[in-house]
């Protein structure tokens, strides 16, 4: 995952290919499962070329990014 200024995703990788994010369609915050001590996370629904993808980022310093789902 490549991040631009402001913390928004700029590029994602899926099936060995890079896809540039053209637009962030939606954003929301997820509280995580508090009983498992999961951190909150920022979630993004993005359009990246032919893909619509849901990306998550842990809301902690150095938090990890992951691809939650993708539609092509």
């Amino acid at each position: 995952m490549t991040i631009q200024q402001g913390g928004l995703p700029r590029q994602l990788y899926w099936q060995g290919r890079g896809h540039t994010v053209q637009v962030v369609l939606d954003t929301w915050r997820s509280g995580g499962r508090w009983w498992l001590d999961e951190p909150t996370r920022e979630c993004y629904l993005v359009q990246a070329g032919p893909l619509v993808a849901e990306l998550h980022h842990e809301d902690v310093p150095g938090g990890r990014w992951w691809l939650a789902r993708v539609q092509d």
Side-chain angles (χ1 to χ4, degrees), residues 3 12 22 25 31 38 69:
I3 310 307
L12 66 93
Q22 281 89 24
L25 301 168
E38 288 181 347
R69 66 184 169 113

Side-chain angles (χ1 to χ4, degrees), residues 26 29 39 44 58 61-62 68 71:
D26 197 8
R29 252 177 110 71
Y44 303 89
E58 291 178 343
Q71 298 172 333

Side-chain angles (χ1 to χ4, degrees), residues 7-23:
L8 297 176
R10 187 175 65 186
Q11 189 170 25
L12 66 93
Y13 295 90
W14 186 64
Q15 293 188 337
R17 294 185 45 189
H19 298 274
T20 300
V21 173
Q22 281 89 24
V23 65

Side-chain angles (χ1 to χ4, degrees), residues 27-39:
T27 62
W28 66 96
R29 252 177 110 71
S30 176
R33 296 177 294 184
W34 58 267
W35 61 94
L36 296 176
D37 292 325
E38 288 181 347

